[in-house]
Amino acid sequence: MIESQPSCTDIFESGLMPCSEALDRIMARLPKISGYERIPLQNACGRTLHEPVISHINVPPHTNSAVDGYAFYAEDIPSSNTTELNVIGQALAGKQFRGSVQKGACVRIMTGAELPPGLDVVAMQEHVGVFENHIEIDSRHKRGQNIRLAGEDLKCGETVLKPGKWLTPADIGLMASLGLTEINVNRKLKVAIASTGDELCEPGDLTSPGGIYDSNRYSLIAALTRPDIEIVNLGIIPDNAEKLLDCFNQTGRFADMILSTGGVSVGEADFTKSVLQHSGQVEFWKVAIKPGRPLAFGQIDKAAFFGLPGNPVAVLVTFYYFVLPALEQMLGINGKPVAPTLKARVSENLRKKPGRTEIQRGILSRDEKGEWRVATTGKQGSGILRSMSLANAFIVLEHEAGDVKAGEWVTVQPFAGFL
């Protein structure tokens, strides 16, 4: 029988681990996953590139016009006044002009059309005088204007994208411009999610008089629904040490990461930490953050393990601050910021105890002067999920900070940066 173990540190003891140290220890323990898969290019947005993409062609493949207009020789540009050029044909995108162009002549050309050999100026049609068989140009034009050179975007042999690139819509278009139809991406990260607690019920199935609906698993599933994650839904696990141990041990054999919510505090039925100690390795158990202090991190078999708190706001805060950076490191993503920060003036007094990081939920907006302002969403209890639903940003009160007065600057992390 596995017994629940009490906490080794009180909430205000100096031994409580700062957030920055906890994240550093997490990142130091988690290697990039191995393996890749080949997928169609149109399915690759949001995946991580496994190998470099090297251009085998020039992009654009030929020197072409950047505008609709007329192509001619720079030598024909008058030094003053105007001159006439005979229009001898046209070049369309995908349809070359066939023939030679003599000095004193020009070719009608459309955007994207290949520039006839030797011609080195394209004048916009709005900047010339157009007549029946000729145009009239003045001295404003210059050699090379409105011309896109072959290889101007990408040169043949150039490394276009490096391994670890988290692929964006622009990356997909870039690879399509090279004619690629399939690419190799890092395999998906397999993440197993469980909720623990006898009181929990599935939405729509409240069978226990004292039960509550399980929201944590649904929040995490929504947060993890992305192209590079394979979710394994473990459901609700009752407060039973043997069942927890059996589930986690089995899952640790095939999952890359296990996320469990609840059971990491000091209650009589909080078994998650003791199960983790019995079946794997515990790196730490508590972090100096509010909400989210009871956070367990360790390893079960081959799976990284996060025992998240039971309160729904604390679940999301610890997910975004600790789990998200961890899973993106495991996926091999390079250079993708988790969430940028900015400074905003707070519209109310905030109470804060030094010695822990506090994450409050806020509504970020600009005032009439264009200055960033932030207000809390009201009551900030870790069980008030509505405070997250109303918010569009986190208000981050740093570890050593104390009370904040209305009008002072605070650090804000917009939710958009997490998505």
Side-chain angles (χ1 to χ4, degrees), residues 323-345:
V323 178
L324 182 59
L327 68 86
E328 294 198 337
Q329 175 169 294
M330 293 179 73
L331 283 163
I333 296 173
N334 297 327
K336 176 177 179 285
V338 173
T341 62
L342 55 87
K343 293 291 185 180
R345 289 191 187 276

Side-chain angles (χ1 to χ4, degrees), residues 29 245 249 274-283 298-301:
R29 283 286 303 272
L245 180 61
N249 279 339
S274 53
V275 167
L276 179 59
Q277 288 176 317
H278 188 274
S279 62
Q281 305 171 39
V282 182
E283 183 74 17
Q299 188 91 13
I300 297 179
D301 204 324

Side-chain angles (χ1 to χ4, degrees), residues 206-340:
L206 194 62
T207 56
S208 171
I212 59 172
Y213 292 125
D214 176 20
S215 63
N216 290 339
R217 198 161 31 95
Y218 285 81
S219 293
L220 289 175
I221 289 172
L224 286 164
T225 299
R226 43 187 282 176
D228 50 5
I229 299 293
E230 179 184 343
I231 297 172
V232 180
N233 187 349
L234 299 176
I236 299 170
I237 306 173
D239 288 320
N240 180 290
E242 278 68 32
K243 289 183 178 180
L244 278 174
L245 180 61
D246 181 61
C247 179
F248 290 163
N249 279 339
Q250 289 190 44
T251 307
R253 297 187 187 108
F254 66 85
D256 299 299
M257 182 183 290
I258 301 172
L259 302 181
S260 170
T261 64
V264 289
S265 192
V266 296
E268 292 294 326
D270 290 330
F271 296 113
T272 300
K273 174 177 175 277
S274 53
V275 167
L276 179 59
Q277 288 176 317
H278 188 274
S279 62
Q281 305 171 39
V282 182
E283 183 74 17
F284 58 79
W285 180 29
K286 287 187 177 180
V287 179
I289 188 171
K290 178 185 179 183
R293 180 173 66 100
L295 171 69
F297 170 69
Q299 188 91 13
I300 297 179
D301 204 324
K302 73 166 192 170
F305 180 89
F306 286 89
L308 306 183
N311 284 319
V313 176
V315 166
L316 286 171
V317 167
T318 52
F319 172 81
Y320 285 119
Y321 275 88
F322 300 106
V323 178
L324 182 59
L327 68 86
E328 294 198 337
Q329 175 169 294
M330 293 179 73
L331 283 163
I333 296 173
N334 297 327
K336 176 177 179 285
V338 173

